[in-house]
Amino acid sequence: MQIHIPDVLSTEQVAHCRAVLEAARWVDGRVTAGHQSAKTKNNLQIPETAPELAELRGIVLRALDASPLFMSATLPSQVFPPLFNRYDAGMRFGAHVDNAVRPLPGGGGRIRTDISATLFLSEPEEYDGGELMIEDTYGAHSVKLPAGHMVVYPASSLHQVTPITRGSRWASFFWIQSIIRDDAARTTLFDLDMAINGVAADLPDHPSVVSLTNCYHNLIRRWAEV
């Protein structure tokens, strides 16, 4: 399931993050790549040692906590502390799949990467190329969103960032371990939650709202790993 989550960051928050990133030190993005990914990854990244990273991560994590759509789409158990990358002209990240398990920074254990997320920090008109291409059973899907918008998709998907031919593409990226491991089950729960919200908005006093909500939470009880 691929979901576009609009307005995760406001225009002002994006501008602040960009200003902080402008002054930061960038390193070779292969620092977080696995063995296979490193062969095809060509970008820049803010290192874990960067003093700016804690502030930037806090901005993104607080925004995620405030997003009902993010919560519904991912049902998070853990969120990997957000990272920040940049693709300048000539850079790309070829087709790859994300590592299934990643160590958390600071020796804080590990996270199973059920869901991948890209939060765009550049406007589409700022660069040519740089599309996030996500492959699923229905083919390849091109994603290039406004600054402040985010896409979440199964981390098991083969995906790539196409070559930049003009400008620069900046983003935050991270992974989510969900309480619902199976993507098909998460999709069912998301669709049900959206339907409940629609019925509740149109018919707030209808008894079906309670019945459907009961079904939703009972399915979570059946499928959740907590």
Side-chain angles (χ1 to χ4, degrees):
M1 177 178 62
Q2 177 184 313
I3 299 174
H4 169 200
I5 304 177
D7 301 317
V8 174
L9 295 182
S10 67
T11 301
E12 293 75 19
Q13 287 173 315
V14 169
H16 178 73
C17 289
R18 287 289 298 263
V20 173
L21 290 169
E22 288 277 4
R25 180 176 67 93
W26 297 83
V27 299
D28 191 323
R30 285 175 292 186
V31 66
T32 56
H35 175 69
Q36 291 297 324
S37 297
K39 298 177 181 179
T40 188
K41 185 177 186 181
N42 179 18
N43 67 3
L44 300 172
Q45 192 168 307
I46 299 298
E48 282 286 346
T49 55
E52 302 88 353
L53 198 54
E55 178 191 1
L56 293 168
R57 283 174 164 169
I59 291 170
V60 174
L61 290 172
R62 286 190 295 273
L64 298 180
D65 285 342
S67 171
L69 188 56
F70 171 78
M71 292 296 171
S72 179
T74 65
L75 294 170
S77 170
Q78 292 188 85
V79 177
F80 191 94
L83 298 167
F84 297 82
N85 63 16
R86 166 181 174 179
Y87 292 81
D88 294 334
M91 294 182 176
R92 65 187 293 267
F93 196 166
H96 65 283
V97 66
D98 292 336
N99 291 347
V101 176
R102 299 192 69 95
L104 290 164
R110 298 186 178 189
I111 182 173
R112 187 184 67 242
T113 58
D114 299 321
I115 302 164
S116 296
T118 297
L119 172 58
F120 289 80
L121 298 175
S122 299
E123 297 293 353
E125 60 270 19
E126 291 185 64
Y127 59 97
D128 294 332
E131 290 86 0
L132 174 62
M133 301 293 297
I134 305 168
E135 296 185 26
D136 60 20
T137 53
Y138 301 102
H141 308 274
S142 175
V143 182
K144 190 173 184 178
L145 300 178
H149 292 219
M150 182 170 69
V151 62
V152 295
Y153 57 97
S156 56
S157 303
L158 195 66
H159 56 282
Q160 63 177 299
V161 176
T162 63
I164 295 283
T165 58
R166 179 192 63 86
S168 187
R169 172 196 189 270
W170 299 26
S172 176
F173 66 102
F174 50 94
W175 301 271
I176 301 100
Q177 178 174 316
S178 177
I179 62 171
I180 308 297
R181 182 193 295 250
D182 182 67
D183 180 58
R186 283 197 310 274
T187 300
T188 297
L189 288 166
F190 177 74
D191 290 344
L192 180 56
D193 193 26
M194 293 300 99
I196 292 169
N197 290 340
V199 173
D202 295 338
L203 302 166
D205 298 321
H206 198 284
S208 293
V209 174
V210 176
S211 296
L212 288 169
T213 302
N214 184 50
C215 290
Y216 175 80
H217 285 284
N218 284 336
L219 285 173
I220 290 180
R221 288 187 183 94
R222 176 179 291 271
W223 292 333
E225 300 177 11
V226 295

